[in-house]
């Protein structure tokens, strides 16, 4: 929110465009990472202001991104102050989690009280990965910081490209060897009370009068939403769907390989021995996508219309669209689930 955010090269201006895309990013981030936490800070007038604390509530974060409440862009941006704030907030987090800072940077310079590269070294020492999405032109110090901390740096060409750059950070990055160690994390699965008005009680640290709250299984405190951390005993409280949605990042579907005559012949020999899949064995004229049942051509056939891919485990064939859907949305191979592989 430096003065550069008021430029109108994005419609209606940079700030309005960034705020709208950040709301979409926050919802997508928590959809992909329901057990994660996120906080927001803004750079303005050479300072950094913490807008929200780290929390697991997407709507509470989105509510703070109201242009009317944030005020107008002013002054310069300070990357060093932003890095120092991130170190103070993230250094105490457990070592098994990712520590990341994502900067949406509109300015062409940074106004800092000291050496910004010293703050970058502090981020690296605390395993904080810094990534930058630029809205103007490429800035050398941003490139240097991201390379120092193992992050990524991209500069948006337009509104659509800015959205792509932001949403690319919603999926978790690969874990390093230090983070790959097995850790047992104590979690609680609270029960939800009824929505009746007669069951309303004072809930949470703010003591709000609410119905339909959750009860911590350890200390019996009431919390308003999940996932969260119990404000009394500190236990992480989640629901089973949250745990299931985080599972596919640990065990992703292996990439499908482009089909070939050799792979098709090998698959035919495997599938013919499975009675449940006998109807799916390719014929000499063509075969069907296991996902959408669209007819696809055999690999290498004359006039092949569609790119076909094959799962290395279940040996089923998929069209390009189903391959993208399985790996980006479904996160489970239909052929492997059907065949029990």
């Amino acid at each position: 929110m430096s003065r550069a955010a008021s430029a109108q090269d994005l419609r209606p201006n940079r700030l309005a465009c960034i705020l709208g895309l950040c709301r979409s990013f926050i919802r997508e981030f928590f959809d992909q990472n329901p057990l994660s936490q996120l906080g927001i800070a803004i750079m303005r007038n050479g300072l950094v202001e913490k807008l929200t604390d780290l929390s697991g509530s997407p709507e509470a974060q989105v509510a703070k991104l109201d242009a009317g409440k944030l005020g107008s862009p002013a002054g310069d941006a300070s990357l060093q102050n932003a890095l120092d704030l991130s170190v103070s907030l993230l250094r105490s987090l457990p070592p098994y989690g990712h520590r990341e800072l994502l900067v949406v940077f509109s300015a062409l310079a940074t106004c800092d009280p000291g050496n910004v590269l010293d703050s970058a070294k502090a981020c690296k020492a605390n395993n904080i990965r810094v990534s930058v999405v630029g809205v103007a032109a490429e800035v050398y110090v941003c490139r240097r910081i991201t390379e120092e901390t193992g992050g990524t740096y991209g500069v948006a060409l337009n509104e659509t490209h800015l959205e792509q750059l932001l949403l690319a950070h919603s999926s978790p990055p690969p874990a390093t060897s230090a983070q790959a160690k097995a850790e047992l994390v104590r979690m609680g699965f609270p029960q939800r009370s009824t929505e009746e008005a007669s069951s309303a009680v004072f809930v949470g640290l703010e003591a709000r009068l609410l119905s339909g709250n959750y009860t911590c299984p350890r200390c019996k405190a009431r919390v308003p939403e999940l996932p969260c951390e119990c404000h009394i005993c500190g236990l992480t409280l989640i629901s089973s769907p949250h745990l299931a949605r985080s599972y596919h990042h640990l065990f992703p579907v292996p990439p499908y390989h482009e089909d070939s005559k050799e792979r098709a012949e090998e698959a035919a020999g495997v599938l013919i021995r499975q009675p449940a899949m006998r109807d799916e064995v390719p014929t000499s004229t063509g075969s069907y996508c296991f996902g959408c049942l669209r007819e696809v051509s055999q690999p290498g056939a004359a006039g092949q219309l569609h790119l076909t891919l094959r799962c290395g485990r279940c040996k089923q064939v998929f069209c390009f669209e189903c391959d993208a859907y399985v790996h980006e949305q479904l996160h489970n191979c239909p052929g492997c689930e059907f065949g029990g592989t």
Side-chain angles (χ1 to χ4, degrees), residues 133 228 254 295:
V133 175
C228 70
E295 186 175 4

Side-chain angles (χ1 to χ4, degrees), residues 26-34 245 248-249 329:
I26 290 172
R27 293 190 174 98
E28 180 66 18
F29 175 82
F30 281 109
D31 183 66
Q32 295 282 335
N33 312 275
R245 279 159 51 197
H248 69 261
H249 292 304
Q329 301 291 332

